[in-house]
Amino acid sequence: MAQVRPGPSRAARGAMSLEALRYRRGSLRVLNQLLLPQRSCYEEIGGVRQGWEAIRAMKVRGAPAIAIVGCLSLAVELHGGAGMGQDKTGLETFIRDSLRYLVTARPTAVNMARAAEELGAFASQEAQREEATAESLRESVIQWAEAMLEKDLQDNRSIGEHGARHLLQASPQDKVTVLTHCNTGSLATAGYGTALGVIRSLHALGHLEHVYCTETRPYNQGARLTAYELVYDHIPATLIADSMVSVAMKEKGVSAVVVGADRVVANGDTANKVGTYQLAIAAKHHEIPFYVAAPSTSCDLSLAEGAEIVIEERPSQELTDVNGVRIAAPGIGVWNPAFDITPHELITGGIITELGVFCPEELRAALPGAVKGE
Ligand SMILES: CSC[C@@H](O)[C@@H](O)C(=O)COP(=O)(O)O
């Protein structure tokens, strides 16, 4: 297997970083994350159906990246002339139907659902303007989708700054050791990352001692993707199996656990990659602060508590097979929930957003707009 090549040194790197997607008006390509870390291969997304398929197959994954690719796949289809010849009402219907379809690709992360509601409402508003035409509607929707990329990147940088500052204030040490789970980096977002953004900021400030990243079974986002990003960015890190987290907390001087989120609800309960819940329990036992890092686009205050979140179940082969080779005993039953819910009382460090770090009880007041459709 080819070794992951570290990227250019920090000084030489400038704007270069790993990219989950490459977009210019009329063209969207996504990095097929199923092939990482062995192969780095970008695939063309010609429109909404291909966007849906790439999300469903997890060629692109991570809550923010799912929404960005979904909306940009619509932008590409609109740019290519979809709905041409229709009046503005017909085009609005096409846009709303496409967005509803994209939401069905994966149910747990809220970002695509929120983007669909917001972009759908925006399209209706635009269509109702007297002077609007089908062409002006098309252009406005494309611009709306394009703006998501820049906004997510900015939000992640703010999350990184807020999180790093908070962790350092809370730590008696000058340099902190962070344990993280799944992949929350450039590959899961428009760039920089959420939990991995906090780690990047700590590293840039010279206050990161070490990172422990979990393998993240069964899909191995940690071993394949987070490890790839950490090596690429020259960040000192060690890979551990999920079953090693308790002993790592006991023996490796972990200062904080920082994870991402697919949906944070009104009471602070958080859906994230399966395994997050047991991490939070272990962190509580070891009195290690547990943080969730997520943009406000991942917060859904329309749900009161975590039990209301729909948890995606994935195919059994993700658990029974490795690279297409069956390793599990034939005939065994399989349960493969992709996410679990961490109850808010275990989120002891705080919820790091682009607007600041909040304890779960503060969330409603801090993010009054984070109700889908508002
Ligand atoms: C910034 S990404 C945050 C979460 O989406 C991430 O931790 C996660 O759970 C991703 O799950 P995935 O199934 O790979 O899409």
Side-chain angles (χ1 to χ4, degrees):
M1 177 172 122
Q3 231 186 333
V4 181
R5 292 221 190 97
S9 69
R10 194 138 40 117
R13 200 159 51 240
M16 284 179 70
S17 74
L18 291 168
E19 295 167 301
L21 60 117
R22 289 183 177 160
Y23 174 81
R24 63 181 162 71
R25 184 67 68 102
S27 162
L28 173 64
R29 291 187 304 143
V30 300
L31 180 60
N32 183 349
Q33 297 186 25
L34 301 174
L35 304 178
L36 287 175
Q38 286 90 345
R39 285 171 55 208
S40 181
C41 176
Y42 284 86
E43 295 179 8
E44 199 77 36
I45 302 291
V48 168
R49 173 160 278 280
Q50 279 177 308
W52 186 95
E53 283 167 359
I55 294 167
R56 176 70 140 218
M58 291 177 69
K59 288 180 180 176
V60 63
R61 25 68 48 209
I66 288 171
I68 293 165
V69 165
C71 292
L72 286 177
S73 72
L74 173 60
V76 166
E77 191 157 333
L78 288 172
H79 181 83
M84 204 72 99
Q86 281 180 327
D87 64 5
K88 62 181 180 181
T89 313
L91 190 62
E92 181 203 340
T93 306
F94 169 78
I95 291 164
R96 281 190 163 275
D97 289 349
S98 300
L99 289 166
R100 261 194 296 274
Y101 171 64
L102 284 161
V103 173
T104 64
R106 295 193 69 196
T108 303
V110 73
N111 305 55
M112 185 63 234
R114 269 194 76 172
E117 285 199 21
E118 287 173 18
L119 181 51
F122 172 77
S124 299
Q125 227 173 48
E126 282 294 297
Q128 273 157 27
R129 283 194 308 112
E130 210 171 307
E131 64 277 24
T133 61
E135 276 326 296
S136 70
L137 175 60
R138 183 188 306 275
E139 175 63 25
S140 316
V141 168
I142 292 174
Q143 282 182 15
W144 195 102
E146 289 173 345
M148 287 178 81
L149 263 176
E150 193 49 41
K151 163 95 168 63
D152 188 57
L153 188 57
Q154 276 169 15
D155 287 351
N156 293 339
R157 289 192 185 279
S158 303
I159 287 170
E161 278 167 32
H162 288 303
R165 208 174 314 132
H166 201 279
L167 256 78
L168 290 170
Q169 272 165 8
S171 167
Q173 273 114 23
D174 181 51
K175 284 190 159 199
V176 291
T177 292
V178 176
L179 193 153
T180 192
H181 188 55
C182 196
N183 174 263
T184 60
S186 295
L187 296 172
T189 63
Y192 204 70
T194 56
L196 212 50
V198 175
I199 289 167
R200 281 202 167 92
S201 293
L202 286 164
H203 185 56
L205 291 168
H207 288 292
L208 180 73
E209 181 68 35
H210 205 77
V211 179
Y212 288 91
C213 71
T214 61
E215 194 182 26
T216 319
R217 281 286 291 151
Y219 212 70
N220 293 316
Q221 288 94 330
R224 293 188 302 111
L225 309 177
T226 301
Y228 187 81
E229 293 202 35
L230 291 165
V231 171
Y232 187 88
D233 278 349
H234 306 264
I235 295 175
T238 299
L239 176 67
I240 56 172
D242 301 8
S243 45
M244 297 167 190
V245 294
S246 294
V247 71
M249 287 179 195
K250 187 167 168 230
E251 295 187 8
K252 294 294 181 184
V254 175
S255 327
V257 178
V258 188
V259 298
D262 290 82
R263 192 182 295 237
V264 182
V265 300
N267 70 350
D269 290 355
T270 294
N272 193 49
K273 181 52 54 193
V274 69
T276 303
Y277 177 31
Q278 67 192 17
L279 259 180
I281 293 170
K284 178 101 174 182
H285 178 80
H286 292 93
E287 296 180 5
I288 293 171
F290 184 93
Y291 290 88
V292 168
S296 58
T297 50
S298 299
C299 299
D300 176 8
L301 304 194
S302 66
L303 299 186
E305 52 183 47
E308 295 170 48
I309 300 173
V310 175
I311 300 292
E312 174 185 7
E313 293 203 16
R314 302 278 310 170
S316 59
Q317 286 82 353
E318 288 178 5
L319 208 57
T320 55
D321 297 15
V322 172
N323 283 344
V325 178
R326 182 155 183 124
I327 53 159
I332 189 69
V334 172
W335 180 45
N336 185 17
F339 304 95
D340 59 25
I341 309 289
T342 299
H344 60 274
E345 60 271 19
L346 295 181
I347 303 171
T348 52
I351 299 169
I352 308 165
T353 74
E354 74 276 18
L355 302 171
V357 183
F358 307 105
C359 60
E361 306 78 66
E362 292 171 327
L363 214 54
R364 274 180 202 274
L367 309 175
V371 177
K372 279 196 280 121
E374 283 184 15

